[in-house]
């Protein structure tokens, strides 16, 4: 019987895991305390010898680090599939995996609702200054520092979405209910975007930014998207606009973001992600118009169970069909 490795703890889908691999594969838990121990046990005769596929969760980083090129190079030749649990997969060197003939899958769709509702909360809080109001209440100040003219309704305002994938589209649906006007920018027009969701191609990006009350960021972190939301893009937003980020911290130039908060160009921010997690720039904590969360996007039992099952299903489908459904886009290029 072939062997698959669970690299990162399963929390919600133990029964489903047993059912998916029953009579199909031996499920081996990764219990190495360090990267050195992990690499040693990948060798012939080690406890991970002969594995053909890996289920991976980011929590494994605490013990063995990210799946960078050296780690991928050390995987035995028998490994052909890495089933990552998560929509973002920037902790895996996909180019190195692809060069070795390894396929990488992720879990799009499973995270859409939870991450979109996180973005919606950040959007509402940033416009209405709810996080600031709660801090005042907890400090016994009631509404002492509340400035009514600084808070805004959502109805009738324009939400610009940078990256209309599954999460961006779900946020669009939620925001449209207020209603907000929804516009978006992708490299190409999204085939599944509803008519009320207005597309702005690259040559009209500046126009989209100038008209946005809120810019919500939903692009994956890659070399070409690091610092995508830079000083230039931020300054092209109208004065008083809000930025929401539930994607990855490094997609935004944090120094430029802070400068725009300092001089009042931005009316507020809602952030769930940061460049050097779990570290948060202490300067951000000083802004009363910043709503900050500790990467809570998918932190629900419902979504995490869906993610575990989807990642495990990709691994099972590799064993039974030769490939899973959720290959990351780099494999399709």
């Amino acid at each position: 019987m072939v062997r698959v490795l669970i690299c990162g703890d399963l929390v919600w889908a133990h029964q489903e895991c047993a059912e998916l691999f029953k009579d199909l594969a031996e499920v081996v838990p990764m219990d190495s305390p360090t990267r050195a121990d992990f690499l040693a046990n990948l060798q012939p005769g080690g406890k991970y010898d002969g594995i053909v596929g890996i289920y991976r969760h980011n929590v494994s980083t605490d013990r063995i680090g990210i799946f960078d090129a050296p780690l991928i190079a050390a995987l035995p030749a028998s490994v052909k599939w890495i089933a990552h649990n998560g929509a973002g997969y920037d902790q895996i060197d996909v180019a190195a995996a692809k060069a070795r003939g390894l396929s990488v899958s992720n879990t799009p769709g499973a995270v859409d609702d939870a991450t979109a509702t996180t973005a919606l909360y950040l959007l509402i809080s940033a416009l209405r200054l709810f996080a600031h109001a709660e801090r005042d209440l907890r400090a016994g100040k009631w509404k002492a520092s509340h400035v009514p003219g600084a808070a805004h309704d959502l109805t009738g305002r324009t939400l610009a979405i940078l990256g209309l994938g599954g999460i961006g589209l779900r946020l669009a649906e939620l925001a449209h209910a207020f209603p907000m006007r929804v516009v978006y920018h992708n490299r190409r027009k999204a085939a599944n975007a509803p008519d009320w969701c207005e597309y702005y191609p690259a040559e009209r990006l500046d126009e989209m930014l100038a008209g946005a009350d809120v810019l919500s960021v939903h692009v994956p972190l890659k070399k070409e998207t690091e610092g995508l939301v830079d000083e230039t893009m931020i300054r092209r937003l109208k004065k008083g606009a809000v930025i929401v980020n539930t994607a990855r911290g490094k997609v935004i130039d944090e120094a430029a973001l802070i400068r725009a908060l300092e001089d009042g160009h931005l009316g507020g921010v809602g952030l769930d992600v940061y460049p050097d997690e779990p570290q948060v720039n202490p300067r951000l904590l000083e802004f009363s118009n910043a709503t900050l969360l500790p990467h809570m996007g998918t932190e629900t039992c419902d979504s995490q169970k869906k993610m575990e099952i989807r990642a495990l299903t990709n691994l099972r489908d590799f064993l039974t069909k030769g490939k899973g459904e959720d290959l990351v886009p780099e494999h399709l290029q």
Side-chain angles (χ1 to χ4, degrees):
M1 187 178 291
V2 297
R3 311 176 83 212
V4 296
L5 184 67
I6 303 298
C7 195
D9 301 333
L10 287 176
V11 178
W12 306 102
H14 292 284
Q15 181 179 341
E16 288 80 3
C17 180
E19 293 170 354
L20 284 166
F21 296 105
K22 183 181 179 181
D23 300 326
L24 181 63
E26 178 190 356
V27 178
V28 181
M30 193 285 288
D31 57 5
S32 293
T34 65
R35 174 177 277 220
D37 183 83
F38 177 67
L39 296 177
N41 277 288
L42 290 171
Q43 301 305 312
K47 55 187 169 183
Y48 312 134
D49 183 21
I51 57 171
V52 299
I54 299 173
Y55 162 95
R56 182 194 180 274
H57 190 286
N58 281 346
V59 72
S60 65
T61 305
D62 296 340
R63 289 183 281 162
I64 65 171
I66 63 173
F67 272 45
D68 53 14
L71 187 146
I72 287 171
L75 294 175
S78 56
V79 177
K80 297 298 180 186
W81 197 278
I82 300 171
H84 175 63
N85 177 345
Y89 48 92
D90 47 286
Q91 292 194 4
I92 302 174
D93 189 328
V94 176
K98 192 174 177 181
R100 276 207 59 190
L102 278 164
S103 298
V104 178
S105 59
N106 63 340
T107 59
V111 304
D112 291 356
D113 199 65
T115 308
T117 53
T118 302
L120 181 66
Y121 163 75
L122 293 170
L123 186 161
I124 294 171
S125 180
L127 282 175
R128 294 294 309 275
L129 300 179
F130 282 158
H132 180 201
E134 182 178 359
R135 287 194 293 271
D136 277 356
L137 183 145
R138 290 180 181 275
K141 296 179 182 178
W142 198 238
K143 290 189 278 190
S145 63
H146 178 62
V147 181
H152 302 283
D153 288 330
L154 280 70
T155 302
R157 297 196 175 272
T158 297
L159 167 64
I161 295 175
L162 191 64
L164 196 78
I167 297 167
L169 181 57
R170 182 63 181 133
L171 175 62
E173 293 167 348
L174 296 171
H176 182 63
F178 281 92
M180 294 184 80
R181 176 184 175 227
V182 181
V183 300
Y184 75 97
H185 170 69
N186 277 4
R187 286 176 296 177
R188 60 188 67 86
K189 190 171 183 179
N192 58 341
D195 292 340
W196 46 260
C197 206
E198 304 169 49
Y199 175 57
Y200 280 72
E203 60 269 21
R204 296 184 63 201
L205 179 59
D206 288 354
E207 180 186 347
M208 182 189 84
L209 295 170
D213 297 293
V214 180
L215 176 67
S216 192
V217 181
H218 300 279
V219 297
L221 177 61
K222 301 178 180 179
K223 214 172 268 187
E224 59 268 29
T225 62
E226 190 166 333
L228 175 68
V229 182
D230 58 6
E231 183 90 39
T232 300
M233 187 177 290
I234 291 170
R235 296 294 166 174
R236 283 175 178 161
L237 290 165
K238 65 168 71 170
K239 183 176 173 59
V242 163
I243 290 179
V244 169
N245 189 12
T246 55
R248 287 292 186 267
K250 289 182 180 178
V251 171
I252 296 181
D253 180 338
E254 185 178 68
L257 183 81
I258 289 172
R259 285 192 294 271
L261 286 168
E262 287 173 335
D263 64 26
H265 182 73
L266 287 177
V269 294
L271 305 176
D272 188 42
V273 290
Y274 309 89
D276 300 305
E277 297 178 14
Q279 304 304 315
V280 176
N281 190 322
R283 187 71 184 94
L284 290 171
L285 306 179
E286 300 173 13
F287 295 106
S288 62
N289 55 348
T291 298
L292 309 174
L293 292 176
H295 207 148
M296 296 294 289
T298 59
E299 293 294 329
T300 72
C301 59
D302 312 279
S303 287
Q304 293 203 354
K305 183 172 183 177
K306 284 191 291 185
M307 292 163 68
E308 288 183 0
I309 292 172
R310 186 141 181 181
L312 290 167
T313 299
N314 276 313
L315 188 53
R316 190 277 315 271
D317 287 350
F318 157 66
L319 296 178
T320 58
K321 303 176 183 178
K323 68 174 183 176
E325 290 187 6
D326 299 315
L327 276 170
V328 299
E330 288 85 343
H331 287 297
L332 308 176
Q333 295 170 355

